[in-house]
Amino acid sequence: MSSFYRKYRPRRIEELDLEEVRNTLAAGLKKGELAHAYLFVGPRGSGKTSAARILAKVVNCEKPTASGEPCLECDNCRAIEQGSFVDVMEIDAASHRGIDAIRELRDKIGLSPVAGRKKVYIIDEVHMLTVEAFNALLKTLEEPPEHAMFVLCTTEEHKVPETIVSRCTRVGFVKAGKDEVIKSLSKVVKGEGLKLEEGVLELLAESVDGSFREGHKLLEQLASFGKEVSLKKVEEILGSVRGGEVKQVAQLLISGKTKLVLEKLESMEKGGVDWSNFAEKLLDYVRGQLKAKYGIGKVEIEAEIERLRVVTMLVARACGEIKTAVVPALPLEMVAVELDREVEISGGSVRVAKEQKAEVGKLDEKRDEMGEKNETGRDEIKADMVQVREKVSLDEVMSKWDEVIKSLSPLNHSVAGLLRSCRPKRVENHFLVIEAYYKFHKEQLEQETRRRMLEETLKREVGLPAVKFVLGEKAVRAAKVMEEHDNVTAPEKDDKLVEAVEDVFGVEV
Ligand SMILES: [Zn+2]
């Protein structure tokens, strides 16, 4: 942890950086009505643990001030600040997921405090506790001994059981505003005697997305170059901090290391990050790499144009989605997952699938125009007739169906896999009609290359030259519901996609 953050963290309630938190706790202090259990809710780096330690000092200080604030000088205050006070227990639920820590808490909570007036249990990331641990904690919260105080901290309140929440006094640590971050950083500037060029604090405050911790970390990094901090230096540091991560994430996405991408994004989220800003930089980078493939700029990542194109499109879409996302990290996570799916299922890309769908649509239109008599619309079938047997029964197809799938498997694993969830329905002229139960499967199998591959195998194995896919009845009903739904939402989605593509390639689509 940043030593500036530790050195300049608020030590009394009146020094707390967030106005609302300060007022709430000060009011309790004034009335002498501190709760026996608090739930501190808010993003990382918003000062929850600092505030928890202040409360621990408030209830254990030997010589509190007239307003009830800790003196910061007695043995208890000092020990708590150093993290060595015997009656303050800090439990990190993220690393003590087991029930053991809470069990120990429950077993020992009945014992009187050793050195202070109250035992204070600070449980960080409390939402990470297991169900068993929550139950044990709940029992303790239901009948807390007079000498105990709990401060539960969480970044994800919705994961904390309601039974726990209802027994705590909730304090919301909202994301700090720009002014609050500036005020907090100003203490460091004063304390360290730093000389900042005008605009430096504002720029820092803007870039840390409300995280005091991140702000202190950056300022400390800047101060390591000297007492005078220029705006240019800040821009340099901000650029390189994210610059390394941007390149790293881009590299992982392009090489399809889904798990590593997700882990990296998670660790970034823990450290506090402005996702919107990061995604835009990521887009800039992959777009630059795509252009580099055409000789504009420097190639830094070895990748095929096709792969870069898909990554760029998906990141562009994520940029648009982040602004309205409930979980801001989600759109980028989805990029990684979708890229993974791309490789596994189609081996192609979003646009290839889309274009082929359009072609199938056109083909269907053509068939309609030609009417029933020549519903195939495919001339090559007539030419191939010679090799085709006159009459093939469905039973014959069924008896060889496993063979067909088996011989397809080495050629194309996904076609074989898709066929396993379909079944031959009937033989119509020279067509084998195959029933698919999911619209998605049908669309995948209708793609030109896959259909051809299947037809060649069928011709060889059973003497049928062509296939046609229909949706099973259940699927038809489900698809109708989906289509109705699509009609309402699709235009907006498409517009967004088109916009994103236009943005990326600077062309009209
Ligand atoms: Zn004290």
Side-chain angles (χ1 to χ4, degrees), residues 232-432:
K232 194 166 157 264
K233 191 78 202 165
V234 180
E235 279 162 358
E236 218 178 281
I237 293 264
L238 285 177
S240 66
V241 167
R242 288 294 173 226
E245 283 178 330
V246 165
K247 193 178 168 186
Q248 194 188 352
V249 171
Q251 177 80 67
L252 292 173
L253 279 175
I254 287 165
S255 51
K257 302 219 163 66
T258 311
K259 183 165 178 259
L260 291 179
V261 176
L262 295 176
E263 281 171 355
K264 176 69 193 162
L265 294 177
E266 193 179 306
S267 87
M268 284 173 63
E269 193 180 27
K270 277 187 185 149
V273 58
D274 177 347
W275 286 115
S276 189
N277 188 302
F278 180 78
E280 276 165 27
K281 283 185 178 147
L282 184 61
L283 179 59
D284 258 1
Y285 186 78
V286 289
R287 177 191 176 200
Q289 286 303 295
L290 181 56
K291 284 183 176 172
K293 279 282 174 186
Y294 294 94
I296 308 163
K298 187 178 153 230
V299 175
E300 291 184 17
I301 291 182
E302 279 312 315
E304 297 196 347
I305 288 180
E306 179 54 23
R307 183 70 175 171
L308 277 167
R309 188 183 63 75
V310 177
V311 171
T312 308
M313 276 184 64
L314 290 175
V315 173
R317 195 191 64 192
C319 282
E321 289 171 351
I322 284 173
K323 292 173 182 82
T324 53
V326 182
V327 181
L330 188 66
L332 280 179
E333 287 171 353
M334 284 301 110
V335 171
V337 173
E338 274 176 45
L339 280 168
D340 193 36
R341 218 183 112 237
E342 275 298 302
V343 174
E344 199 178 86
I345 295 179
S346 74
S349 72
V350 175
R351 189 191 276 180
V352 170
K354 216 182 157 201
E355 280 171 359
Q356 283 178 349
K357 212 157 81 184
E359 271 168 26
V360 170
K362 273 186 223 150
L363 199 57
D364 283 342
E365 278 168 31
K366 252 193 230 161
R367 284 181 196 177
D368 287 347
E369 282 166 21
M370 290 173 181
E372 286 270 330
K373 277 179 206 160
N374 187 9
E375 78 170 334
T376 71
R378 294 188 219 135
D379 295 337
E380 76 265 31
I381 290 173
K382 279 179 201 152
D384 280 349
M385 284 298 192
V386 206
Q387 305 167 30
V388 172
R389 287 173 48 201
E390 266 311 303
K391 216 168 167 78
V392 180
S393 72
L394 183 64
D395 284 347
E396 258 179 281
V397 176
M398 290 307 276
S399 68
K400 288 175 181 164
W401 190 238
D402 276 349
E403 284 305 310
V404 172
I405 292 179
K406 261 186 210 154
S407 60
L408 270 166
S409 196
L411 297 174
N412 187 316
H413 207 65
S414 64
V415 171
L418 286 162
L419 280 178
R420 280 199 188 91
S421 56
C422 300
R423 70 176 181 108
K425 195 175 165 70
R426 60 177 180 272
V427 178
E428 249 178 46
N429 301 325
H430 294 287
F431 280 94
L432 172 64

